[in-house]
Amino acid sequence: DAMVIQNPRYQVTQFGKPVTLSCSQTLNHNVMYWYQQKSSQAPKLLFHYYDKDFNNEADTPDNFQSRRPNTSFCFLDIRSPGLGDAAMYLCATSGHRGFQETQYFGPGTRLLVL
Amino acid sequence: GNSVTQMEGPVTLSEEAFLTINCTYTATGYPSLFWYVQYPGEGLQLLLKATKADDKGSNKGFEATYRKETTSFHLEKGSVQVSDSAVYFCALSSNTGFQKLVFGTGTRLLVSP
């Protein structure tokens, strides 16, 4: 089945140790998004790629970076995780960027920072 | 800025009860409105959407009507099942620029047999 896959589902890292989260999709969608969802809060958009064009949200900390080496894969890099970065990270895709588009979400990666 | 407000959960119902989850929004222009559902251990799935005033989205027995006059998009279902237990997120997307989803904080629904 076509889908959005996130690996790993759970990730434990140490304070200050770089970590990378992975997302892949078989939908051949142009747009890939990364959201951060802290406990009992709404998902918050960090950035998105439209094809190879990277679009950062104004309030996304510099500690968060992203790479999209090809259409199928997108990575979230946290350069120096702090305790406040512990959260669920959600990847989503959509065919285009129109405001009526449906976004398709992966199951998320839960990040724990020790 | 744009925002979405949902009723606090959890909402606890018995099977076959009527469900309403309230959602109101603040936005400029004419946003699109969405309900996403998150089942335990899974990602968010689109449940239904409406893209203009007075539109009704529906899916799997759930309905929501885009009410511009009250800036609301309340989710309803006539008879819930145990399998409907999940977290429900209301969201909007502004009709300017790219699709940026702004979510509410989610409402957990618990349905008991």
Side-chain angles (χ1 to χ4, degrees):
Chain A
D1 288 344
M3 56 175 40
V4 181
I5 301 160
Q6 290 189 245
N7 286 308
R9 295 292 304 274
Y10 299 90
Q11 176 74 56
V12 181
T13 190
Q14 294 178 337
F15 183 93
K17 184 176 181 180
V19 65
T20 294
L21 308 183
S22 171
C23 177
S24 64
Q25 53 123 345
T26 60
L27 297 161
N28 203 33
H29 279 171
N30 290 315
V31 193
M32 296 187 76
Y33 307 80
W34 280 104
Y35 291 84
Q36 180 191 62
Q37 184 181 20
K38 295 189 176 180
S39 180
S40 300
Q41 295 184 21
K44 179 178 176 298
L45 182 65
L46 295 173
F47 28 59
H48 78 278
Y49 271 95
Y50 182 62
D51 197 11
K52 296 180 182 179
D53 182 26
F54 177 71
N55 297 269
N56 199 30
E57 289 298 296
D59 56 354
T60 298
D62 293 341
N63 198 27
F64 291 86
Q65 304 286 323
S66 186
R67 296 170 284 133
R68 190 179 185 186
N70 54 52
T71 300
S72 300
F73 284 87
C74 193
F75 300 100
L76 169 63
D77 300 310
I78 308 176
R79 292 192 297 187
S80 181
L83 297 178
D85 296 327
M88 176 77 84
Y89 290 88
L90 301 169
C91 175
T93 73
S94 65
H96 300 283
R97 288 199 298 187
F99 74 103
Q100 298 180 3
E101 289 279 322
T102 295
Q103 292 189 21
Y104 296 84
F105 284 80
T109 295
R110 185 169 296 282
L111 177 68
L112 180 63
V113 181
L114 301 178
Chain B
N2 297 339
S3 66
V4 174
T5 302
Q6 287 182 239
M7 62 189 291
E8 295 264 345
V11 173
T12 304
L13 295 173
S14 299
E15 205 165 24
E16 299 183 2
F18 184 85
L19 168 71
T20 300
I21 300 178
N22 290 338
C23 170
T24 57
Y25 68 89
T26 301
T28 54
Y30 301 92
S32 290
L33 301 174
F34 305 81
W35 276 101
Y36 279 84
V37 60
Q38 187 172 32
Y39 297 103
E42 299 184 14
L44 277 72
Q45 302 173 25
L46 179 69
L47 182 59
L48 53 85
K49 69 180 185 181
T51 58
K52 61 182 186 294
D54 300 324
D55 266 3
K56 177 185 283 188
S58 61
N59 186 26
K60 299 181 181 179
F62 291 90
E63 293 183 339
T65 301
Y66 188 147
R67 301 286 188 199
K68 183 166 172 55
E69 63 276 14
T70 55
T71 62
S72 64
F73 193 55
H74 304 323
L75 182 68
E76 296 182 337
K77 187 176 185 183
S79 176
V80 294
Q81 305 301 311
V82 173
S83 57
D84 293 327
S85 298
V87 180
Y88 292 81
F89 290 92
C90 185
L92 68 81
S93 175
S94 175
N95 66 344
T96 57
F98 74 98
Q99 192 208 54
K100 176 177 178 177
L101 283 176
V102 175
F103 287 92
T105 52
T107 301
R108 182 176 298 277
L109 171 65
L110 300 170
V111 181
S112 56

